[in-house]
Amino acid sequence: MENKKEMRTWLDDLNLNHPLVIAGPCSAETEEQVLKIAHELKNTDVSYFRAGIWKPRTRPGMFEGVGALGLKWLQKVKAETGMKTCTEVANAAHVKLALEHDVDLLWIGARSTVSPFIMQEIADALQGTDKPVLIKNPVNPDLALWLGGIERIYKAGVKNIGAIHRGFSTYEKTKYRNTPEWQLAIEFQNKYPDIPLINDPSHITGKRDMIFDVSQTALDLNFDGLMIETHYDPENAWSDAAQQVTPSTLIQIMKDLKIRKESD
Ligand code: PEP
Ligand code: MN
């Protein structure tokens, strides 16, 4: 795969003077929950509102998302707050529905990037879209598999691309939910400096009190942005309760983070 400046057009066109921030709940739960969080995030530095509607849960029997119904709620978010919206797609049917409902940006989750067949299916469904598509790293620390997934999407004519570093699972217990393996992210940046790289401290840490430090490390490493799970009642969230922060905590985090300037 070539390293092409055109891949970051979607980000450059936002003309931000700070790192990109994507925020919103892990899962869309109810229309009221989605809209309440979105209203608390409007008029902040958040550019994209996230909410998972198809949730890839590790074990069956847990909340697996509200499904296509959530697309209508994301449309309301856009109409009421002016924020752009994004959600995870994990198969061709999701892509079709998300594009039909004008979701502004799609991301591919770590459990999908790991499978070349599913990545090809998603790539075929995305064929030629001008929406930005962000590809999370696979669950295992395999740079080639991550790049291969990105390459499949790019070869399908998707020019607006980004990558999300969400950490890697390990058998050993560590303080992280998914260890960052920063060296791998640095290798990614060195190989593809023009692919925007977004950090996801929520899934790396699994704990809200570690979000700030991981975010700061990512910005010190020149990441292009952050995706942070945000909920007005994190303790009672239907998924990933331990790692979500409230909108006011997110605003404080964004204020406190030191942004590295080109001249530093
Ligand atoms: C998510 O963003 O809510 C999610 C399921 O993330 P990941 O694919 O990184 O586990
Ligand atoms: Mn989550």
Side-chain angles (χ1 to χ4, degrees):
M1 182 173 53
E2 295 160 79
N3 177 53
K4 290 221 165 91
K5 271 251 183 309
E6 65 180 6
M7 292 172 167
R8 55 183 309 120
T9 307
W10 66 278
L11 182 57
D12 292 342
D13 284 353
L14 292 175
N15 256 317
L16 302 174
N17 58 0
H18 55 77
L20 173 74
V21 183
I22 301 171
C26 176
S27 297
E29 298 166 3
T30 65
E31 180 173 339
E32 293 67 31
Q33 173 248 14
V34 165
L35 289 170
K36 182 169 158 65
I37 299 168
H39 277 281
E40 290 182 31
L41 294 175
K42 79 170 174 211
N43 303 327
T44 67
D45 284 349
V46 175
S47 296
Y48 284 92
F49 179 82
R50 65 151 282 157
I53 59 176
W54 297 289
K55 298 304 299 176
R57 305 310 297 274
T58 303
R59 311 269 310 259
M62 298 160 109
F63 174 60
E64 295 199 323
V66 296
L69 177 63
L71 293 166
K72 299 250 181 320
W73 306 345
L74 290 177
Q75 284 180 316
K76 278 204 171 172
V77 166
K78 198 163 17 177
E80 290 186 19
T81 71
M83 269 188 291
K84 295 184 176 58
T85 59
C86 60
T87 200
E88 173 174 348
V89 289
N91 61 36
H94 296 166
V95 171
K96 188 167 179 287
L97 282 164
L99 294 179
E100 277 169 8
H101 289 79
D102 207 24
V103 176
D104 297 290
L105 174 154
L106 312 180
W107 85 80
I108 298 169
R111 293 163 193 76
S112 300
T113 311
V114 87
S115 163
F117 287 130
I118 203 71
M119 288 306 280
Q120 195 55 53
E121 175 186 321
I122 293 171
D124 292 344
L126 284 166
Q127 195 73 42
T129 182
D130 56 6
K131 308 267 188 205
V133 178
L134 309 186
I135 299 100
K136 287 199 174 198
N137 65 253
V139 284
N140 55 323
D142 184 336
L143 182 58
L145 194 57
W146 192 5
L147 295 173
I150 296 172
E151 209 166 1
R152 285 177 196 277
I153 304 300
Y154 184 73
K155 281 191 162 175
V158 180
K159 298 291 182 244
N160 289 309
I161 298 262
I164 304 178
H165 169 237
R166 53 76 81 196
F168 306 91
S169 60
T170 55
Y171 181 62
E172 295 88 55
K173 292 271 160 284
T174 75
K175 66 174 179 169
Y176 297 104
R177 178 176 176 194
N178 293 290
T179 58
E181 311 294 352
W182 293 107
Q183 201 48 48
L184 200 151
I186 293 167
E187 207 180 315
F188 182 100
Q189 287 173 314
N190 290 340
K191 276 204 163 101
Y192 297 99
D194 287 323
I195 301 183
L197 184 59
I198 315 297
N199 183 256
D200 173 349
S202 306
H203 293 90
I204 289 177
T205 64
K207 288 179 213 74
R208 62 187 130 264
D209 63 359
M210 291 168 67
I211 300 279
F212 179 82
D213 286 347
V214 168
S215 302
Q216 187 62 66
T217 302
L219 296 191
D220 292 345
L221 289 170
N222 263 327
F223 274 62
D224 296 279
L226 300 166
M227 181 192 252
I228 301 183
E229 288 186 339
T230 311
H231 193 300
Y232 60 82
D233 185 9
E235 286 84 0
N236 292 305
W238 296 4
S239 59
D240 288 351
Q243 70 197 33
Q244 302 202 58
V245 295
T246 60
S248 62
T249 301
L250 176 75
I251 290 163
Q252 192 60 47
I253 288 174
M254 292 190 291
K255 235 198 226 151
D256 293 345
L257 285 170
K258 289 192 184 44
I259 300 166
R260 197 169 135 175
K261 300 276 178 317
E262 286 307 322
S263 53
D264 286 359

